[in-house]
Amino acid sequence: MVTASAPGKFILFGEHAVVYGKTAVAVAMDRRFACSVAYSDENTLNGKPVSFEKHPYIYHMLQKHGMDNTAVDTVSDIPAGSGLGSSAALSVSFSAAIRALKGMSTEEKDIAEDAFDTEYSVQGRASPADTSTCTHGSGISINGPGNGGLWSISRNGNVWHIADAYVPEMTIVVGHTGIHAATGPLVERVRKFRDKNGFAYDIVNEIGDIALHGIDLMRKNDITGIGELMTKNHKLLSILGVSCSELNKLVNAALPYSYGAKLTGAGGGGSMIALTDEPDKVCEAISKHGGTPFVVKTAQPGVVIKNI
Ligand code: MEV
């Protein structure tokens, strides 16, 4: 049996714009998805048959690796559909475990590519931001200044250069709306808006520029500047139509005690993040406004594999 685990993530800057090859920054957090695989008589997930409708990511991975005899068991403390990388952490931990079981390469680059392939096939248009963060851990930039670093992935005319990013010490509070939001339809909505509307096209570019500026501020440990950019990023995402009243409520509740706040991930529900020195006050404000808060620890390891 092989067990692998991968962290969840939050996007600090640049979600949606990164799908079109713009810059983004994503950070791993202290919630993990673990996946165990072992040879068996048939494919099962947590003791039940695997179906494409209910388990598209696992189903796709098993097909892709030509497996019809694998028992898969999963456990996770990343809320699903929360914008916190649960599907990416699943794809990464599964890819790592199955590759180790089959004696294939378990280099980070190969796992990240494999997991991205699954996200892309299941979700439709996607970027490798989530899967690369969950593989590498710590923090990454995508198409940051100077580009190079860890690996590059290309698809559909876009190229994403993944690099390790310096992440200053920051206290981040996540506020989960409790609303499950699938990434695919939200990405598709932004794509249609951007394709038809020059204004939306410019907004997407502006989000990429914010991420580029954010990387510079991170290097300078400019927490005030990072917070201001986060709030600006949230406003632009709202204009793109991926926020919702629940997310706006939590962002507004957190702002009086924060350097900045924004939705994180695809939006439409899911979660927001706040950068703060007063985590207790932010947690209280988020709870009061119907969200579920938790304080995040950064500087987390990426994928970890154990042969048992
Ligand atoms: C989801 O965490 C981030 C999006 O930019 C989609 C993607 O990058 O694949 C919305």
Side-chain angles (χ1 to χ4, degrees), residues 16 186 189-190 193 203 234-244 263 266-268:
H16 286 287
L186 286 152
R189 194 199 298 172
V190 172
F193 193 23
I203 298 277
H234 180 76
K235 288 178 187 161
L236 294 176
L237 288 164
S238 302
I239 297 171
L240 277 188
V242 294
S243 192
C244 62
L263 71 84

Side-chain angles (χ1 to χ4, degrees), residues 10 23 27 42 47 60 132 142 154 160 165 181 188 197 216 272 290:
F10 60 89
T23 306
V27 180
E42 53 171 344
H60 182 270
S132 292
I142 302 99
S154 53
W160 295 275
E188 184 55 17
N197 190 312
D216 185 41
M272 49 71 69

Side-chain angles (χ1 to χ4, degrees), residues 43 50 58-67 70 72 94:
N43 285 340
V50 182
I58 298 276
Y59 185 91
H60 182 270
M61 282 270 186
L62 286 166
Q63 292 279 315
K64 186 180 172 201
H65 285 279
M67 305 299 280
T70 313
V72 184
F94 182 84

Side-chain angles (χ1 to χ4, degrees), residues 58-202:
I58 298 276
Y59 185 91
H60 182 270
M61 282 270 186
L62 286 166
Q63 292 279 315
K64 186 180 172 201
H65 285 279
M67 305 299 280
D68 57 9
N69 56 349
T70 313
V72 184
D73 288 285
T74 61
V75 54
S76 168
D77 61 0
I78 310 168
S82 60
L84 300 174
S86 62
S87 65
L90 155 68
S91 302
V92 167
S93 57
F94 182 84
S95 167
I98 206 81
R99 294 177 77 87
L101 187 74
K102 291 176 74 180
M104 296 169 72
S105 154
T106 52
E107 300 258 317
E108 279 191 2
K109 176 186 188 299
D110 296 323
I111 294 170
E113 253 178 40
D114 198 13
F116 173 58
D117 188 57
T118 294
E119 289 253 298
Y120 201 90
S121 306
V122 173
Q123 231 169 257
R125 217 158 166 155
S127 83
D130 293 9
T131 39
S132 292
T133 317
C134 299
T135 303
H136 181 64
S138 178
I140 63 164
S141 67
I142 302 99
N143 292 343
N147 286 331
L150 296 169
W151 53 80
S152 299
I153 294 181
S154 53
R155 195 66 53 101
N156 231 348
N158 287 314
V159 185
W160 295 275
H161 302 287
I162 313 296
D164 190 71
Y166 168 72
V167 181
E169 231 171 78
M170 304 185 289
T171 304
I172 297 278
V173 175
V174 167
H176 182 26
T177 60
I179 300 169
H180 184 287
T183 300
L186 286 152
V187 169
E188 184 55 17
R189 194 199 298 172
V190 172
R191 187 193 62 74
K192 281 192 185 140
F193 193 23
R194 176 182 175 269
D195 283 356
K196 283 196 195 129
N197 190 312
F199 177 69
Y201 188 93
D202 291 344

